[in-house]
Amino acid sequence: MSASRRSGTTDELGPDEPERPDEPDQPERDGSDLLAALLDGMDAALCAFDADGVVTHWNREAERILGWTAAEAVGRQGFAGWAVREADAEEVEGRLMSAMEAPGRQVHEFALLTKDGGRVLVRTQSAAVRGPDGKPAGVYCAFSEVHAQIDLERSIALSEALFEDASWGVVLVDADLRPAVVNAHAARALGIGRTSVLGRPLGELLAQGVEELESALTHVLAEGAPPAPAEIWVSVRTPEGEQRRCWRCGFVRLASPLAEEPVPLGVGWLFNDVTAAKLAEQEASLLRFRGNQLHRAARAAAECEDPAEAATIHLDFALAGFADHALIDRVAGTGSLADGDSDVPVRLVRVAATPSGAPGPSLLTGQAGLPVRYAEGHPALQCVERVGSVRASVGSVPVERAREWAVARQWPGDAVHALCAVLRSRGRTLGAVTFLRGAGRSPFERSDAAYAEDVALRIAAALDLAGVLRG
């Protein structure tokens, strides 16, 4: 426990005062006990000197660092010969005692001696202690090992840097799963100000992905940090509308260092936007798959004796992961159109189609040669007339309206998205191939049109060969 030159500890610095036998000493003893408890409970080592440089206070942390007990330290004249080398004593004591005349606190670093003869580099903060008259009555000195102080400063500097200059999002989430601190990068990613986000439920900040994120945070609070980062897809509300983003997230559980048992304070959530990389990865994977499908289709079609059958094989291989239905329409009559035949009305005959019910291989049709009842402006007719790909979609309409839209275009009733690619061979237009998607798929994009055109080239070559052989 802390000690002073008198019995126990004192609650002030200065010369001894005469005892007052007429007054009870219990209040003074209670004050001394309180002071001793406060000093011994400090995380920093503390010692104090009176105006003559005599040690008056010495707490348990000082005893832990240097090994000298309070009984051995209190009452000594300065540090010379026991806590500081004789050669350094004058300089050290001069710097400490100079705090009596200096305003505020002074910070110094010296090497102190431990009881077993070792040396410890400490960082001290010293300041004057004023007496009742306002004059300096002594000096108090708080000190800690330099490496511990540097570790603390590094921790503080790291936290400040994370919340100011970090190039990834950092959010401290409290135990109620509400943001408590947000850095600038995270605020920009969420599309909201740093102060506006504080204390708000995550459901108000994200349109989609909230359940997965909250589940991850709850798991970290209960079980601790996961062994690897997690990739979470979310939708962020922006002035331009909702934007789908992929965040690579890391989580750490925060516990109070002051509690005897770990008490969760919340979760540190760090994330980085990897949407561009994930989309590029998905696109590369899709391109590899489609390239493999084209290769497999070409090898299978090469084994067909009938080129028309080879055309349906190309169609079947293209459907995998791409569309739900597919149709091949051939130009009626001559079977092809030259580029100068734009004045001739275009009529198309259905020559192959995927089954409309249960899945299965495409079937050859159109033996009767009857044109399909396509209305003017039909996507397949536009495709042939323009000699280019055409995309169509029903949009956001009720199911019955969507079915009417598909049936009116001679397509299966569950089709809501269409992509027509022209069939070209030897400089002539042979017809069009139509790929159809149901409501569970996204609309066709430009990259889909490029793939459909590759398939259409192979189908057109097979149909052209079939016509030559029949001729």
Side-chain angles (χ1 to χ4, degrees), residues 33 61 68 93 107 109 179 274 314 320 396 399 426 455 457 461 469:
D33 293 342
E61 186 64 14
W68 300 97
E93 293 177 11
V107 179
E109 289 185 4
V274 294
H314 283 292
S396 299
V399 177
R426 294 190 296 165
V455 176
L457 290 175
L469 293 179

Side-chain angles (χ1 to χ4, degrees), residues 359-380:
S362 300
L363 304 175
L364 292 172
T365 60
Q367 285 79 6
L370 298 177
V372 186
R373 294 180 295 105
Y374 284 153
E376 184 179 355
H378 190 280

Side-chain angles (χ1 to χ4, degrees), residues 298-351:
R299 295 192 60 178
E303 303 300 324
C304 295
E305 294 184 5
D306 183 2
E309 182 183 356
T312 62
I313 286 180
H314 283 292
L315 194 66
D316 292 335
F317 273 94
L319 278 178
F322 182 68
D324 298 316
H325 307 284
L327 314 168
I328 299 177
D329 295 325
R330 186 80 183 264
V331 173
T334 60
S336 63
L337 291 175
D339 291 343
D341 297 340
S342 57
D343 296 336
V344 179
V346 177
R347 295 184 303 166
L348 298 177
V349 177
R350 180 76 45 82
V351 297

Side-chain angles (χ1 to χ4, degrees), residues 13-30:
L13 298 175
D16 292 338
E17 297 180 1
E19 297 290 341
R20 300 177 181 176
D22 296 337
E23 298 179 6
D25 61 353
Q26 187 64 33
E28 180 180 356
R29 186 177 301 113
D30 291 344

Side-chain angles (χ1 to χ4, degrees), residues 3 23 29 42 48 60 82 150 157 168 185 188 201 223 246 248 336 378 397 401 461 466:
E23 298 179 6
R29 186 177 301 113
M42 294 178 61
R60 288 189 183 276
W82 63 284
I150 292 177
W168 56 86
H185 187 97
R188 288 194 299 270
E223 304 293 337
C246 181
R248 180 169 294 154
S336 63
H378 190 280
V397 298
R401 290 282 305 278

